[in-house]
Amino acid sequence: MVDTTAPFEASASAVGYVYQLRKALHSCVDQHGRGLDWCIAIEAGDDVEEVVEGGRILYQLKHRAAGVTMSDYSTDLWKTLRIWAHGITNRQLDLDETDLFLLTTADLTADSAGYLLQPAASGVRDETKALDALEAARKASTSKENKKAYEAFDQLSADERRDMLARIQVIGNAPDVDEVEHLLLERVVSAVGHAYAKPFLQRLEGWFYQRTIRQLRTDEMDAITGNEFDQVFTDLRNQFRPENLPIDEDIAVLEPDPSDYANMIFVRQLDLIDIGRTRVGIAVRDYIRAFTQRSRWSDDNLLLPGEISKYERRLIEEWQDLFAEMEDDLGAAATEAEKVAAAKEIYRWATREARPRIRIGCDEPFVSKGSFHILADDLQVGWHIDFMTRLMAVLEPAGATQE
């Protein structure tokens, strides 16, 4: 029999993980506005752990479907209490310097322990009644799912239970994963404006997710510090200034297989002037990176109307100057060896000297080098003095010139 529940469980787990990461990123953005003396880690002391001046904050996060409520018998509540009770019993939690937060998208049942442990500003906080509610639920419940949590709770002394609840704050009906994204967008608008808020956040989230994965997979990566986050945030914000464009790390490290592009026109142009395989591979790499980056800029509406066309016109006109000079220098009697040597000089200029920037702050070399190859693939520029006639002869369909 096919288990139809597994996909839904996997989906809920994935949403929960994204929720955890987004909430952690939101905490980073919040702390960033207050200073640099902080650090945040995922799955360290808790789902999310903040270390700030004067102590630390541990967060348990529960992302639940609309309409779900958290009562005194809820597994979400008792699993959280189990983690914190275990930390207290094993002297891993110093309650004098640690605040404990349980954030759930579920609603809180009226007069339940979670409801009574809401922040003081709610006006309903009552730690004594909350403890009574928990102890009553523990005595009345026979839940096997909560059994280990009850046992951990039982190991706490009366004073430890009171001390733990004094540090706990429960926030119900918390913003869900989509609402947290909206909150993040609101925060980054002040950095880059409304037009660029979404692509900026996508790139910030991409960095944050990759950074978190490295922290989880290796012991060498520490928590994200205020200084590290400030450096990344500031650098990314600078890439979205009017004089710049963002260079995406996933694109900047692309390494395509050159053999997949052997029949493309820009590669055939290189074959005409005897460029070696290694340099052809570099050309393919620059072409793919530039093509992909330019496409993403366009998809994210980061380019001004006609900006690519104007940039390509500048490239073509700079190339035209050198190509015309090469034609004058070679003359009609030039040998093939002289033609190839002269073409290599033009190519060397395009890949090593020419650095026209699409915007003054965007100085990534693959943008200009790859853009020349994009133009070469469209036969708008070339290296060999006879590139047009030779390539057209190769590219014309067989029999096209026959009448």
Side-chain angles (χ1 to χ4, degrees), residues 315-333:
L315 296 179
I316 292 170
E317 289 180 355
E318 289 196 29
W319 165 84
Q320 284 175 335
D321 285 342
L322 272 76
F323 197 80
E325 183 180 332
M326 177 178 69
E327 289 177 315
D328 289 344
D329 291 343
L330 284 175

Side-chain angles (χ1 to χ4, degrees), residues 19-20 49 109 136 158 172 197 214-215 261 350 381 388 399:
Y19 182 60
Q20 182 179 356
E49 177 182 3
T109 302
R214 292 199 300 271
Q215 175 212 315
Y261 303 88
V381 305
M388 185 65 75

Side-chain angles (χ1 to χ4, degrees), residues 22 105 173-186:
R22 276 192 176 157
T105 58
N173 196 27
D176 67 14
V177 64
D178 294 322
E179 291 169 330
V180 174
E181 181 183 24
H182 292 314
L183 291 173
L184 282 165
L185 284 169
E186 289 175 2

